Amino acid sequence: MTVVRKSQITPNMIRVTCAADWIKTLEPGIEGAHFKLFLPRVDQSADDFARQLDDGPRPDVRTYTIRYLRVESGEIDIDFVDHGDAGPASAWARRCKSGDVAGFAGPGPIKLSEFYADTYVLAADMSALAVVAATLEAMPRDAKGTAFLEITTPEDRQEIDAPAGVDLQWIVHPDPHQPATQSVQKIAAMPEFSGSVQTCIAGESSMIKQLREEIVNKRGVPKTDVYISGYWKIGLIEDEHQQVKRAEAAG
Ligand SMILES: Cc1cc2nc3c(=O)[nH]c(=O)nc-3n(C[C@H](O)[C@H](O)[C@H](O)COP(=O)(O)OP(=O)(O)OC[C@H]3O[C@@H](n4cnc5c(N)ncnc54)[C@H](O)[C@@H]3O)c2cc1C
């Protein structure tokens, strides 16, 4: 796919719009689904990158979320946390310009495809704003619940078309390299859940571990009603984080 637009939507979030003819064949309404993003090296030509995708070795690959899909124009928007040049994906988002190319594999499934809960509990750090925002926008308009959204600065707040009955609580967590604790404390302080609950929760892995303990183990929300996923881990690149997740799931 080819970059067609880019904007700094908030101080720590870069939106890159990519276009391709095959995007016109995607199913509408899959905002919030993840995909694998294949990244060219600095100064690698489009032809050389296409050759590498065909013949290997595998380029850097990272996982991202479809924030918006416009099937008719064959475009997707991807919102990248700008966490500097340390990782190939963040660095690519910072340097890319119209005409640059990247590879796409997927998409995976959307995270909540059916909405049947009495109450929704959502939580995200900036890496998961796209999935939680897309979920809020897809929910029935009479849905009720609370969303805890951890952002790096107050200006990182975004407009989200959430149901009026979902309370959006924006929480400033200024140093993403320190584990986020505020959503964990706020969810632990919520009254006992009554009725059915569905969740859409994602973000840094240590926050997710504590929230899984609270929601699944302590409060007993059935796993089938829970989407909760570690999207990155402080100090690990994505491949290392995926290895840790696989080992934890196996053990
Ligand atoms: C299903 C899924 C969907 C995702 N969707 C999105 C999305 O839409 N937008 C998005 O921004 N991220 C998303 N992520 C998270 C993203 O894949 C990781 O943040 C990834 O590590 C970024 O790759 P990188 O090349 O920039 O950094 P890496 O090379 O993986 O890591 C380099 C260093 O940066 C640190 N780091 C990684 N991510 C962050 C961060 N967010 N903030 C601060 N430091 C960080 C790492 O701990 C490491 O020390 C998603 C993850 C999953 C599993």
Side-chain angles (χ1 to χ4, degrees):
M1 54 192 181
T2 305
V3 175
V4 289
R5 269 188 307 286
K6 169 171 149 179
S7 57
Q8 188 84 37
I9 55 168
T10 70
N12 294 289
M13 190 74 91
I14 300 169
R15 176 164 296 163
V16 179
T17 301
C18 292
D21 278 342
W22 56 263
I23 294 176
K24 296 179 179 166
T25 67
L26 292 178
E27 199 186 321
I30 58 165
E31 284 84 356
H34 70 272
F35 64 93
K36 296 291 175 190
L37 179 68
F38 294 76
L39 297 152
R41 296 188 307 273
V42 180
D43 293 334
Q44 187 174 20
S45 71
D47 286 347
D48 192 55
F49 181 58
R51 251 193 312 277
Q52 187 180 357
L53 287 176
D54 284 341
D55 303 336
R58 196 192 81 159
D60 286 321
V61 184
R62 295 291 185 265
T63 311
Y64 278 82
T65 302
I66 298 176
R67 176 63 185 96
Y68 291 109
L69 164 65
R70 290 174 296 281
V71 170
E72 54 308 330
S73 51
E75 291 180 358
I76 57 170
D77 293 338
I78 314 162
D79 288 357
F80 292 79
V81 177
D82 179 356
H83 64 93
D85 290 325
S90 174
W92 180 80
R94 286 157 65 89
R95 77 170 181 266
C96 76
K97 51 187 187 328
S98 283
D100 285 359
V101 293
F104 176 108
I110 51 173
K111 309 308 173 192
L112 263 69
S113 52
E114 287 179 75
F115 297 97
Y116 48 78
D118 298 314
T119 311
Y120 294 87
V121 178
L122 306 100
D125 67 10
M126 289 198 56
S127 72
L129 271 186
V131 67
V132 165
T135 302
L136 285 163
E137 289 171 356
M139 276 182 175
R141 296 295 89 186
D142 60 353
K144 294 191 173 32
T146 313
F148 301 94
L149 305 164
E150 299 215 14
I151 49 180
T152 308
T153 68
E155 294 73 31
D156 284 307
R157 193 177 159 144
Q158 300 181 14
E159 282 303 312
I160 299 176
D161 182 17
V166 179
D167 178 21
L168 298 193
Q169 297 197 15
W170 294 92
I171 299 166
V172 176
H173 173 59
D175 182 1
H177 300 103
Q178 296 299 321
T181 54
Q182 297 179 73
S183 303
V184 178
Q185 287 163 3
K186 284 176 185 285
I187 292 177
M190 287 173 87
E192 200 178 324
F193 293 158
S194 66
S196 58
V197 172
Q198 281 180 279
T199 77
C200 180
I201 296 175
E204 200 280 323
S205 184
S206 62
M207 169 179 106
I208 293 306
K209 218 174 190 165
Q210 294 178 68
L211 285 176
R212 187 176 286 116
E213 174 64 25
E214 175 67 32
I215 285 170
V216 179
N217 297 348
K218 285 204 188 133
R219 294 181 180 245
V221 178
K223 282 191 178 161
T224 44
D225 296 342
V226 169
Y227 175 72
I228 183 161
S229 182
Y231 272 19
W232 65 286
K233 189 169 169 62
I234 293 170
L236 299 187
I237 66 164
E238 184 175 324
D239 307 70
E240 296 166 337
H241 179 220
Q242 298 289 350
Q243 277 175 20
V244 170
K245 286 209 308 191
R246 276 195 292 275
E248 284 175 356

